[in-house]
Amino acid sequence: MAGLDLEVSTGTATTSVTAVLRGGASTAPDSERPVVLLRGDMDALPVTERTGEEFSSRHEGVMHACGHDLHTAGLVGAARLLAARAPELTGDVVFMFQPGEEGHDGAGHMIEEGVLEAAGRPVEAAYGLHVTSSKQPKGLFSARPGPLMAASAGLSVRVIGAGGHGSSPHRSLDPMPAACEMVLALQTMVTRRFDVFEPVVITVGTFHAGTRRNVIPDEATFEATVRAFTPDALAQVQELAVRLCEDIAAAHGLRAEATFTGEYPLTANDAAEHDFLAATVREIFGEDRYELMENPITGSEDFSRVLERVPGAFVFLGATVADDPETAPTNHSPLAQFDDSVLADGAALLAELAVRRLGSASPAQQQPESAVAATP
Ligand SMILES: [Zn+2]
Ligand SMILES: [Zn+2]
């Protein structure tokens, strides 16, 4: 972004970067000039890349497996497009370069540090996009009004017994079978305690116990990720899952410490902002470039923190390199590949959303003659 007329600041809690572009077209007092936020996340994942690309990550155990490098580059592209048009903008644009999306709540930290007031007054609308390496055809934008991505939480369970010799389990308190029972009972709980129309996912992703086959360990621990689409469902999982683990432990004469930690809230698109985004995609790229998603997805996003506070919309952009997106490795896979030829359209969309949104009091009153973004 060097050479662009932006007010750039960096965070202290994280490695965040915030840039503000001042539009020059309005003579209105500052308090009446709208502010739009565009967001790109920047972080990688603890995955060792196996794509074989010549530009593969050179760092063992660090890979842009979720395509956030495209988001960063795309947001720089949007900043360049908008900086070139600053004299026509009737308000200001905040560019939110965010670290720590993958479970570190980077958005939450940036909000605490004031990103939503970075222009000196509150942001009125916020937009972001996410590339996908599979499922979605290349170049297709997709989203939906309302719930788009799940709320997430973590469940950590420590089952405490008393270790001993593997040959005489009756003289120990073996935590292992009880912990296994909990893993299975959690799945039964999802089907027996939740309405099938109230989706809940619980996946146990770690399970650790023991050191040798003939030693009964003192403890077994496991961790699960939880996804749900309403605060009520999440609260119910918390109550039921914690009790289930504690009571199964008690039934075997053991003790369990179950900790439930809320992570990201539901990512929900404002209905009017979604419709505005969809109409913008169709108008500048063509009808066939936008697809309304039938269902939300069970992934989570900390852009939800922004959308909780500011009306806005988040959209997926297909960036698969495969002929058949259905069989392509998914985001987070060590084989995930993203086609950066979609970058220009991603950047153009973000820029155009800002131009149009700044140019009207609300999406409903949008000016039809507002300018179309130049392709970068
Ligand atoms: Zn991810
Ligand atoms: Zn991601």
Side-chain angles (χ1 to χ4, degrees):
M1 292 186 296
L4 302 182
D5 191 12
L6 300 171
E7 296 163 19
V8 178
S9 58
T10 52
T12 52
T14 65
T15 55
S16 66
V17 179
T18 302
V20 178
L21 176 69
R22 303 287 179 187
S26 175
T27 52
D30 262 7
S31 59
E32 289 169 24
R33 291 154 46 82
V35 182
V36 165
L37 180 144
L38 302 176
R39 178 267 209 167
D41 44 2
M42 307 190 286
D43 53 326
L45 281 159
V47 172
T48 296
E49 182 158 357
R50 291 196 284 114
T51 61
E53 292 279 21
E54 54 179 323
F55 51 84
S56 286
S57 170
R58 279 175 285 172
H59 302 281
E60 176 90 8
V62 183
M63 175 187 175
H64 267 299
C66 206
H68 296 185
D69 48 344
L70 276 79
H71 305 165
T72 312
L75 190 57
V76 171
R80 293 178 69 97
L81 288 169
L82 288 165
R85 301 176 63 181
E88 334 161 15
L89 301 179
T90 55
D92 301 338
V93 185
V94 174
F95 301 95
M96 174 182 181
F97 291 91
Q98 183 214 303
E101 188 284 324
E102 299 284 1
H104 305 286
D105 201 6
H109 288 293
M110 287 190 77
I111 290 170
E112 270 173 33
E113 291 190 339
V115 70
L116 300 180
E117 293 85 32
R121 54 201 189 282
V123 163
E124 282 183 20
Y127 308 98
L129 65 78
H130 204 302
V131 292
T132 57
S133 63
S134 67
K135 284 273 185 194
Q136 204 175 352
K138 186 170 82 183
L140 185 71
F141 290 92
S142 64
R144 68 196 303 278
L148 181 74
M149 299 178 77
S152 63
L155 175 69
S156 297
V157 181
R158 182 169 164 227
V159 185
I160 303 146
H165 202 292
S167 65
S168 43
H170 61 289
R171 300 180 64 190
S172 309
L173 284 171
D174 188 352
M176 200 94 76
C180 293
E181 213 172 302
M182 291 172 202
V183 172
L184 297 176
L186 286 168
Q187 300 308 314
T188 309
M189 178 193 86
V190 169
T191 71
R192 302 301 89 181
R193 302 303 298 271
F194 290 88
D195 189 324
V196 292
F197 297 109
E198 175 73 84
V200 169
V201 175
I202 301 181
T203 294
V204 176
T206 72
F207 189 107
H208 297 289
T211 51
R212 258 193 80 101
R213 64 178 177 272
N214 61 352
V215 177
I216 291 172
D218 281 329
E219 290 184 12
T221 59
F222 67 89
E223 288 181 308
T225 187
V226 178
R227 307 297 163 107
F229 289 89
T230 63
D232 279 358
L234 214 52
Q236 208 186 344
V237 174
Q238 172 162 17
E239 188 196 327
L240 294 175
V242 167
R243 192 169 72 212
L244 189 79
C245 294
E246 288 174 351
D247 288 359
I248 288 174
H252 293 283
L254 305 159
R255 197 161 62 77
E257 291 171 358
T259 316
F260 190 91
T261 312
E263 291 167 355
Y264 294 161
L266 182 80
T267 304
N269 280 338
D270 178 84
E273 295 292 350
H274 161 269
D275 293 351
F276 162 62
L277 182 147
T280 305
V281 170
R282 289 185 168 121
E283 198 178 317
I284 65 176
F285 299 120
E287 284 292 323
D288 58 343
R289 293 286 299 279
Y290 184 80
E291 185 176 73
L292 182 68
M293 290 164 64
E294 192 175 347
N295 296 311
I297 67 164
T298 48
S300 300
E301 243 301 332
D302 67 357
F303 191 57
S304 55
R305 299 259 187 234
V306 175
L307 294 181
E308 261 187 338
R309 292 163 173 84
V310 179
F314 195 61
V315 64
F316 296 106
L317 170 57
T320 188
V321 298
D323 293 333
D324 179 8
E326 286 296 326
T327 58
T330 60
N331 286 37
H332 289 207
S333 159
L335 298 172
Q337 287 170 285
F338 301 88
D339 190 332
D340 56 16
S341 69
V342 304
L343 268 175
D345 287 355
L349 175 65
L350 291 177
E352 185 63 16
L353 289 170
V355 169
R356 293 186 180 203
R357 192 62 173 75
L358 289 175
S360 62
S362 74
Q365 296 163 14
Q366 190 203 304
Q367 306 292 315
E369 67 274 19
S370 66
V372 170
T375 306

